[in-house]
């Protein structure tokens, strides 16, 4: 499979301004701060991390919905970060987004028919209105009668299907799904995730799925990238990452996922992170995770930022001690079930 998307050194910094008319920049929020990742065509990359780590900002920056401060976004060899005007408009036909809250992203004053044809009209494409709307609704499992209704007349799951249909209107190759099921009931989540997988198989789509639910990401992703404080700290094949996470942050995330087996849940170790997530306007020196890391080794972790490097084939980790963590040379401070219950 060929590589469809490559991100190199991507940074998105938002200025912090002060003064009576906010005319003086006094700092910046480093929402995305040096991200490197890649996605092969026809595959799904899941992006996970805590709220506020920069996942959604990264997704929006790939489509140039958020301004890129530095870095490259190579889509099929074309640097999206360097495009503007008509070139950027043409490129966006290939790259679309499904937003987290369909009730907020769908215009409440427009019918479904208008919502689905708006992208086609915006790009000046010729189409048969009734035929194209019916095709899009069929693709997402909605009846043709839905075209005359407004967003508030649908359930949350149906509205998300409309959002997916709108993303498909321009026949893109790459879709970013930003928390596509976080606001839905569990049973509806499964239906929407299955729909995304069916569309991928039928249309050959490539996905970036942004989520904080590790179970959702594991279900839909071929590869998973873990993000912390604006940077990707680990990227690997989904099965490999879930069976043997190497970065301390990923290990802590995995240890917090409940296991549906009382005997296992009662005896397994928990990795407890100390402190709060640092501010992206003033990130720590050295490794961004060292202030909370149970594997921290003084001096190097505090002063030297680790690059995202290959530990084994297909497994990239941004940690100085990944090999030692993997072979058990360095052990974390772990929490017993009794201690975890007291937290």
């Amino acid at each position: 499979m060929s590589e469809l998307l490559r991100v190199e050194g991507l940074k998105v910094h938002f200025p912090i301004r002060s003064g009576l008319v906010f005319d003086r920049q006094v700092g910046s929020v480093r929402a995305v701060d040096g991200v490197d990742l890649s996605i092969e065509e026809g595959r799904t990359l899941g992006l996970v991390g805590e709220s506020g780590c920069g996942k959604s900002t990264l997704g929006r920056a790939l489509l140039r919905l958020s301004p890129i401060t530095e870095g490259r976004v190579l889509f099929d060899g074309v640097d999206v970060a360097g495009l503007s005007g008509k070139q950027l408009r043409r490129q966006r036909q290939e790259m679309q987004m499904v937003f987290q809250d369909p009730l907020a992203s769908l215009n409440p004053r427009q019918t479904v028919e208008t919502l689905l044809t708006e992208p086609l009209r915006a790009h000046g494409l010729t189409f048969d209105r009734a035929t194209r709307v019916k095709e899009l609704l069929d693709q997402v499992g909605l009846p043709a009668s839905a075209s005359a209704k407004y967003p508030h007349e649908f359930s949350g799951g149906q509205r998300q299907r409309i959002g997916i249909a709108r993303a498909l209107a321009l026949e893109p190759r790459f879709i970013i799904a930003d928390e596509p099921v976080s606001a839905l009931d569990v049973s509806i989540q499964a239906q929407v995730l299955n729909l995304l997988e069916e569309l991928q198989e039928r249309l050959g789509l490539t996905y970036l799925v942004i989520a904080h639910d590790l179970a959702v990401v594991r279900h839909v992703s071929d590869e998973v990238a873990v993000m912390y404080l604006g940077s990707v700290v680990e990227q690997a094949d989904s099965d490999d990452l879930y069976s043997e996470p190497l970065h301390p942050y990923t290990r802590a995330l995995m240890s917090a996922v409940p296991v549906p087996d009382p005997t296992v849940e009662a005896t397994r170790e928990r990795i407890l992170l100390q402190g709060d997530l640092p501010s992206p306007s003033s990130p720590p020196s050295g490794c961004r995770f060292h202030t909370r890391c149970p594997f921290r080794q003084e001096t190097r972790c505090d002063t030297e930022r680790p690059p995202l490097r290959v530990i084994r084939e297909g497994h990239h980790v941004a940690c100085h001690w990944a090999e030692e963590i993997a072979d058990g040379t360095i052990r974390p401070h772990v929490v017993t079930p009794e201690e975890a219950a007291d937290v």
Side-chain angles (χ1 to χ4, degrees):
M1 288 177 287
S2 61
E3 186 178 78
L4 182 64
L5 182 78
R6 171 171 288 277
V7 179
E8 299 177 349
L10 186 66
K11 296 182 180 182
V12 179
H13 295 178
F14 297 105
I16 301 173
R17 299 189 178 277
S18 183
L20 293 177
V21 290
F22 298 100
D23 58 343
R24 181 165 51 91
Q25 183 172 339
V26 295
S28 61
V29 175
R30 302 177 184 183
V32 178
D33 200 29
V35 165
D36 298 297
L37 56 79
S38 62
I39 311 176
E40 291 183 343
E41 189 164 13
R43 289 170 66 84
T44 299
L45 175 67
L47 185 64
V48 299
E50 293 175 85
S51 296
C53 71
K55 303 186 301 296
S56 294
T57 302
L58 172 60
R60 294 175 64 87
L62 298 183
L63 297 183
R64 295 283 303 279
L65 298 178
S66 291
I68 295 175
T69 304
E70 186 180 313
R72 300 203 300 168
V73 178
L74 299 172
F75 182 84
D76 204 14
V78 178
D79 186 5
V80 178
L83 300 180
S84 60
K86 292 182 179 179
Q87 290 180 322
L88 180 58
R89 179 181 289 268
R90 283 196 299 269
Q91 189 64 51
R92 279 183 172 158
Q93 291 184 232
E94 302 281 325
M95 310 165 72
Q96 291 293 301
M97 192 164 190
V98 177
F99 295 93
Q100 178 177 357
D101 183 1
L103 193 59
S105 62
L106 300 176
N107 191 329
R109 295 172 180 250
Q110 293 183 345
T111 64
V112 170
E113 181 178 18
T114 304
L115 289 167
L116 297 185
T117 55
E118 186 177 34
L120 298 163
R121 289 182 280 107
H123 285 268
L125 302 179
T126 302
F127 61 97
D128 181 87
R129 190 181 185 94
T131 301
R132 186 55 180 151
V133 170
K134 185 178 184 303
E135 288 175 350
L136 291 170
L137 291 174
D138 284 343
Q139 285 182 328
V140 298
L142 290 175
S145 59
S147 63
K149 296 181 179 180
Y150 292 86
H152 72 271
E153 299 181 76
F154 296 92
S155 67
Q158 290 173 325
R159 282 195 291 267
Q160 194 60 287
R161 289 173 183 264
I162 295 168
I164 294 170
R166 186 173 63 170
L168 294 173
L170 295 173
E171 300 182 352
R173 298 166 61 192
F174 175 58
I175 290 180
I176 299 170
D178 185 9
E179 301 274 10
V181 296
S182 63
L184 306 178
D185 293 336
V186 174
S187 59
I188 306 301
Q189 287 183 8
Q191 294 176 19
V192 172
L193 293 175
N194 289 336
L195 172 63
L196 290 173
E197 289 188 326
E198 291 169 9
L199 291 170
Q200 184 175 43
E201 292 179 6
R202 192 188 319 155
L203 304 176
L205 296 170
T206 303
Y207 289 139
L208 172 65
V209 177
I210 300 169
H212 62 268
D213 189 326
L214 294 171
V216 167
V217 171
R218 185 171 194 175
H219 178 75
V220 301
S221 302
D222 300 300
E223 285 188 89
V224 176
V226 181
M227 199 166 178
Y228 180 82
L229 203 62
S231 301
V232 172
V233 296
E234 186 165 6
Q235 181 177 349
D237 177 82
S238 179
D239 292 335
D240 189 17
L241 185 135
Y242 276 82
S243 63
E244 191 178 358
L246 297 181
H247 194 279
Y249 178 62
T250 311
R251 287 186 165 226
L253 288 180
M254 297 303 179
S255 77
V257 177
V259 176
D261 184 338
T263 58
V264 175
E265 185 67 20
T267 57
R268 72 191 185 108
E269 295 179 333
R270 301 288 181 88
I271 300 175
L272 183 64
L273 297 182
Q274 303 294 327
D276 297 323
L277 185 71
S279 170
S281 63
S282 183
S285 60
C287 175
R288 297 292 170 83
F289 187 58
H290 84 260
T291 58
R292 305 171 72 194
C293 182
F295 294 91
R296 175 188 175 189
Q297 305 295 304
E298 291 186 8
T299 305
R300 190 178 186 190
C301 292
D302 297 359
T303 59
E304 183 182 340
R305 186 175 181 183
L308 188 67
R309 58 193 177 92
V310 178
I311 301 300
R312 53 176 176 254
E313 185 178 358
H315 201 137
H316 300 73
V317 183
C319 177
H320 296 304
W321 312 104
E323 291 87 351
E324 289 80 0
I325 291 172
D327 63 24
T329 304
I330 298 177
R331 300 290 299 168
H333 168 68
V334 296
V335 180
T336 65
E338 292 76 16
E339 290 176 318
D342 294 335
V343 175

